[in-house]
Amino acid sequence: MDKSHPPETFGVFKPTGHTVLAFKTVANQEAAVDALTAQGFAEADMVRYSPQEMATLARSERQAASPLAAFGYELELVDTHLALGETGCSFLVVPAPEDTQVERVAAVALRLEAASAQHYGRFMIQDLISSTAPNAPARKARGRNTAS
């Protein structure tokens, strides 16, 4: 994923095949990078956003969003990411196209007490640790969510 040109759908952030994690501290963000690297994820493929960078991105997307973005969960997540960025959360975007990878990222998010964690699938965004925004589809334990 290219941080300077983040993937968008209808004008809002949608990194399909990636999991977006928010951490209350940079130390936890870095601990997540270390834990995921130890599990075989490539650090070079992970993208870090400072609180200021994510807040700026979210504000920009809020202004550029197509009315179609309001039909899905993406616009709610833009608002969630803005709020988390404004409270000082650091973000980590991890490529995780396979279910087993998503499960490993979710386990790290839980262990390091991520403030938010969503996996952006092709047709659905799954909340991995808790409902961080209204109508968040929660990930089923050991199961697969299907297209909505």
Side-chain angles (χ1 to χ4, degrees):
M1 188 187 100
D2 181 0
K3 184 176 179 178
S4 61
H5 296 93
E8 296 180 347
T9 300
F10 302 122
V12 296
F13 187 58
K14 188 168 183 191
T16 302
H18 291 73
T19 300
V20 178
L21 309 167
F23 293 98
K24 294 177 186 173
T25 68
V26 174
N28 279 6
Q29 178 195 48
E30 290 305 316
V33 170
D34 293 344
L36 292 167
T37 301
Q39 293 182 34
F41 289 85
E43 183 174 355
D45 294 337
M46 297 180 212
V47 178
R48 294 172 177 89
Y49 284 91
S50 71
Q52 299 80 11
E53 288 172 326
M54 185 55 77
T56 298
L57 177 63
R59 281 189 205 98
S60 172
E61 290 174 347
R62 198 66 173 106
Q63 291 177 349
S66 161
L68 295 174
F71 288 108
Y73 181 39
E74 290 93 343
L75 200 53
E76 290 178 34
L77 278 176
V78 169
D79 292 338
T80 299
H81 292 162
L82 174 59
L84 290 169
E86 287 177 338
T87 61
C89 286
S90 297
F91 290 78
L92 181 65
V93 182
V94 182
E98 304 296 327
D99 284 347
T100 56
Q101 294 171 316
V102 175
E103 289 173 10
R104 292 188 339 233
V105 174
V108 169
L110 285 168
R111 184 167 47 84
L112 294 173
E113 300 178 354
S116 173
Q118 293 83 30
H119 178 71
Y120 288 73
R122 183 166 302 193
F123 300 110
M124 177 181 268
I125 301 170
Q126 301 167 319
D127 196 0
L128 301 180
I129 59 173
S130 68
S131 294
T132 55
N135 304 316
R139 181 164 178 79
K140 296 176 185 175
R142 309 299 287 160
R144 290 183 170 85
N145 286 340
T146 59
S148 54

